[in-house]
Amino acid sequence: MVKKGSQAVLKERASAKKYPWPLNMRKRFKDDGILSVEKDHLLFTQDLEFSSPSAAAAVVHRGHANGLIAWKSKTGKTLKEIESV
């Protein structure tokens, strides 16, 4: 779940063109008003549940991402570390 008010990177990475599904998701979310374009970032206008941590990370990070290592707690532990406990 990505919470309302969370930010996403505005510009897509060049490597995202190789695997365009995150770009397609971002476009759909922009078209649906779930992501709004701000000055230097995208803003989630509502809570949004994703099918996986990697799908959420790919949308937030502007291209393919491994959600198990992209998401970190306030103390710096990755989701993979947290789930392995």
Side-chain angles (χ1 to χ4, degrees):
M1 170 82 64
V2 176
K3 296 294 214 170
K4 176 182 178 179
S6 297
Q7 295 181 7
V9 176
L10 181 61
K11 296 191 181 219
E12 288 84 12
R13 291 184 286 182
S15 64
K17 292 179 180 156
K18 184 174 181 181
Y19 304 103
W21 66 267
L23 304 181
N24 296 336
M25 288 177 66
R26 287 165 60 99
K27 181 184 180 328
R28 189 178 94 221
F29 296 149
K30 285 187 239 177
D31 291 346
D32 292 346
I34 297 168
L35 282 174
S36 69
V37 178
E38 302 297 318
K39 190 173 194 174
D40 61 349
H41 62 276
L42 295 174
L43 184 70
F44 283 83
T45 61
Q46 63 190 51
D47 292 350
L48 184 60
E49 187 173 345
F50 286 85
S51 60
S52 71
S54 292
V59 169
V60 170
H61 289 284
R62 74 190 193 269
H64 181 73
N66 180 341
L68 293 177
I69 58 173
W71 296 110
K72 295 182 181 178
S73 70
K74 290 180 181 180
T75 60
K77 286 190 173 190
T78 65
L79 183 57
K80 184 176 182 175
E81 292 170 321
I82 294 167
E83 288 185 345
S84 70
V85 174

